[in-house]
Amino acid sequence: MDGHDNISNAWAALKLVRMAIETPAGVLPSEEAVVLLYGPEPIHKGEALAKAIIETVEKLTPLPTALIRGEP
């Protein structure tokens, strides 16, 4: 597997994660908004996905936000 394959796999994996969390929660910005807000690289999409997952957990969990985020 070369670097191009790795990048293609990374984008595909991020797309799958997006599909898994996009519909029920409604907290994930559009693909275009992610590029504008975070940047165009896979790491930027990953950051947007992570924030959306945290927001979803916060909506669905009665725990204080600090506990979910691992803050003291």
Side-chain angles (χ1 to χ4, degrees), residues 25-49:
V27 296
L28 188 59
S30 69
E31 296 275 355
E32 296 81 11
V34 169
V35 171
L36 292 173
L37 294 169
Y38 297 94
E41 301 297 323
I43 189 70
H44 301 124
K45 184 180 265 192
E47 181 181 2
L49 291 169

Side-chain angles (χ1 to χ4, degrees), residues 6-71:
N6 287 338
I7 291 171
S8 293
N9 286 340
W11 282 115
L14 290 169
K15 186 174 183 176
L16 290 172
V17 173
R18 172 180 268 280
M19 286 175 22
I21 66 169
E22 187 171 49
T23 304
V27 296
L28 188 59
S30 69
E31 296 275 355
E32 296 81 11
V34 169
V35 171
L36 292 173
L37 294 169
Y38 297 94
E41 301 297 323
I43 189 70
H44 301 124
K45 184 180 265 192
E47 181 181 2
L49 291 169
K51 287 184 178 185
I53 290 167
I54 290 168
E55 286 182 35
T56 301
V57 170
E58 288 173 346
K59 284 183 176 182
L60 300 174
T61 306
L63 294 174
T65 303
L67 291 176
I68 295 169
R69 294 182 184 268
E71 298 170 3

